[in-house]
Amino acid sequence: MFQGVSLDQAPPFEAPLLFFLGALFFGLLGGFALFFDSSIATLHLFTIGVLMMVMFGALQQMLPVVVGVKFEHPFKAALLAFFPIFFGLVLFWSAFWLKLSLLLVGVSLLLIGIGGFGLVTLFKLFKAPYTSPTVIAMRLSLLFLLLALLLGAHLGSSLGLMKVGKSFELLLPIHALLAGFGWIGLLIVGVSFQVIPMFYVTPEMEEKKRKLLVYALGFLVVLSTIAPFIHPKAALIAFITLLFGYLLYALLTLRQLQRRKRALKEPTILFWQIGLGSLFFLPMLFFFDPQAFAIVGIFGFAMSVVFGMLYKIIPFLAWFHISSRGFFDMPTMKEMISEKLALIQLFTHIAATLLLAIQPPLAAPLTILSFLLLGFNLLRPVRIYFDYKKRPSPFEMR
Amino acid sequence: MREIVVDTREFEPPAPMQMVLSELQSMLPNQSFVHQIHRMEPTMLFNRLKPMGIEFIVRKDGEEYHIYYFYPEDRAKIQELIDVSRR
């Protein structure tokens, strides 16, 4: 007989939530930091503090669902990764203002937190009972993350020890390439194969196309990493081909979004469209404005997509966990998020991104406002989850 | 065996999960099974069902997924019904 539902496979909501809250904190800190700095120190508040935190939370949530494997103690695993990353990043950032040698402690903590979580997740992904283009993309993205981490640790330590050698200039763009296009980019590609048909009622992208995209992008990341050691022209050709590979991904995914069964306009679709649309500007910006290239890649593409996903994932998880305890009277996912406020946050985010590409200190107030709005919008589903958590489950009352 | 068809292809989450869970409550061993038609594999739902002793079979047909939910004792019958219907 039907015996109710079980949450054995899904991690507690608190585990991904911890990472999502960390992302909000670093987004706000990054916004304030922009008033006086837009160097690599502040950039990492957004790349590690916001993007990686959200990615780790999402990975922890998606592993049992998409891959069929799980963390044995999900909340403990989240805590063990979260605190070294949190304090490591704060130290990394403040080292640039206080004392460069603090970088060594910051980098060590980041190595422990990111390396530990990355290795365990990668190990679990290789133990997955089945593979799919999403699983392959996740494996590759984690491999690139670990490589980017090692390179980053080397670069950070050489800065901390004040022993910046000739290799620094060569390794810095490779670190950025692996982190941006290997780790963040490929993970978004893999996750989008799963979440777009799920949340936007579109057909799945054909498996052949998904596989081709993942393998081609992964190969081009490897090629772009090796090519600078062979010839500068080879490096340029490999990287431009990679950018066009991402452009193809954007084109296919935008077409997939156009084919959705219910063509309702809603803010999260716009977040995806703006994120994917940003990829079209990258080849041109790469040649004309490297700073704008980085901003459009990180904020225009990755951050927009991540915001769009958070607006879907957090209400869905809140609903999922509440309903799993037997409640059916909770607000719907649509009622949990105000579309109007999400739209205001979207416009604030776009304006902040444009200003960041032109004049970073001017972008600070809008970046802060964007993260405040994001936090306010996502607070409601979280509050609803905790309200229901306090109540006894109808299953227990039977 | 009574087939309870749930077409969730055009519904956003969490509706597909709600619809299937609701129909599963009226499913009886040796008497009925649930046949979901969906645009993707509903893995999140699978993970909720596994520990409850409800089994499922997935068949892909073009862009559509046909998922059959049943009690373990009905596996042979369901397998036969699927094979016949797909011939």
Side-chain angles (χ1 to χ4, degrees), chain A residues 39-315:
Chain A
S39 70
I40 51 165
T42 300
L43 182 77
H44 282 84
L45 292 180
F46 293 108
T47 52
I48 297 180
V50 179
L51 294 175
M52 182 183 289
M53 285 278 187
V54 174
M55 301 294 192
F56 276 11
L59 267 175
Q60 214 187 7
Q61 185 61 46
M62 286 189 87
L63 273 185
V65 177
V66 179
V67 189
V69 290
K70 59 172 184 169
F71 285 85
E72 300 309 321
H73 305 284
F75 193 59
K76 268 189 201 164
L79 287 173
L80 282 172
F82 179 82
F83 284 107
I85 299 174
F86 183 90
F87 290 112
L89 185 55
V90 170
L91 280 171
F92 174 91
W93 177 69
S94 46
F96 286 87
W97 323 114
L98 302 174
K99 204 174 172 190
L100 268 181
S101 58
L102 274 178
L103 265 177
L104 297 174
V105 191
V107 164
S108 307
L109 285 171
L110 288 172
L111 263 176
I112 295 169
I114 302 170
F117 190 90
L119 275 173
V120 172
T121 311
L122 190 61
F123 174 70
K124 289 191 177 291
L125 279 165
F126 276 105
K127 270 179 42 186
Y130 58 89
T131 52
S132 66
T134 298
V135 175
I136 300 164
M138 284 178 170
R139 285 177 186 161
L140 286 173
S141 75
L142 278 159
L143 275 171
F144 292 135
L145 167 70
L146 293 171
L147 286 174
L149 176 70
L150 290 175
L151 271 183
H154 168 72
L155 295 167
S157 320
S158 44
L159 270 179
L161 294 166
M162 308 267 200
K163 285 183 180 170
V164 177
K166 274 185 187 167
S167 63
F168 195 91
E169 291 296 315
L170 176 70
L171 295 180
L172 189 65
I174 296 177
H175 162 75
L177 164 84
L178 287 167
F181 293 93
W183 152 242
I184 299 172
L186 260 179
L187 190 62
I188 288 178
V189 170
V191 170
S192 74
F193 294 156
Q194 200 69 30
V195 297
I196 287 188
M198 179 179 168
F199 285 122
Y200 301 110
V201 194
T202 73
E204 275 187 320
M205 196 187 284
E206 285 166 47
E207 190 161 351
K208 259 192 251 167
K209 286 182 189 164
R210 282 182 282 156
K211 268 192 180 158
L212 181 78
L213 275 173
V214 171
Y215 283 123
L217 292 174
F219 173 72
L220 287 167
V221 171
V222 174
L223 206 64
S224 305
T225 307
I226 300 167
F229 296 98
I230 302 164
H231 197 279
K233 265 192 184 163
L236 189 69
I237 293 168
F239 187 62
I240 294 296
T241 318
L242 174 66
L243 292 182
F244 277 98
Y246 270 98
L247 210 148
L248 177 68
Y249 158 73
L251 207 66
L252 290 171
T253 312
L254 282 168
R255 264 185 53 196
Q256 191 187 2
L257 279 172
Q258 261 183 341
R259 288 179 67 200
R260 64 192 192 277
K261 298 269 163 61
R262 293 174 180 188
L264 296 171
K265 281 272 174 222
E266 56 145 317
T268 65
I269 289 269
L270 290 171
F271 273 109
W272 271 98
Q273 286 169 333
I274 283 161
L276 295 165
S278 299
L279 291 172
F280 286 83
F281 295 98
L282 293 187
M284 186 185 66
L285 289 173
F286 177 68
F287 286 106
F288 295 110
D289 190 342
Q291 188 189 323
F293 170 81
I295 297 298
V296 171
I298 294 167
F299 289 84
F301 166 57
M303 205 77 87
S304 303
V305 167
V306 159
F307 288 163
M309 279 202 269
L310 280 175
Y311 280 127
K312 283 288 186 189
I313 290 173
I314 292 191

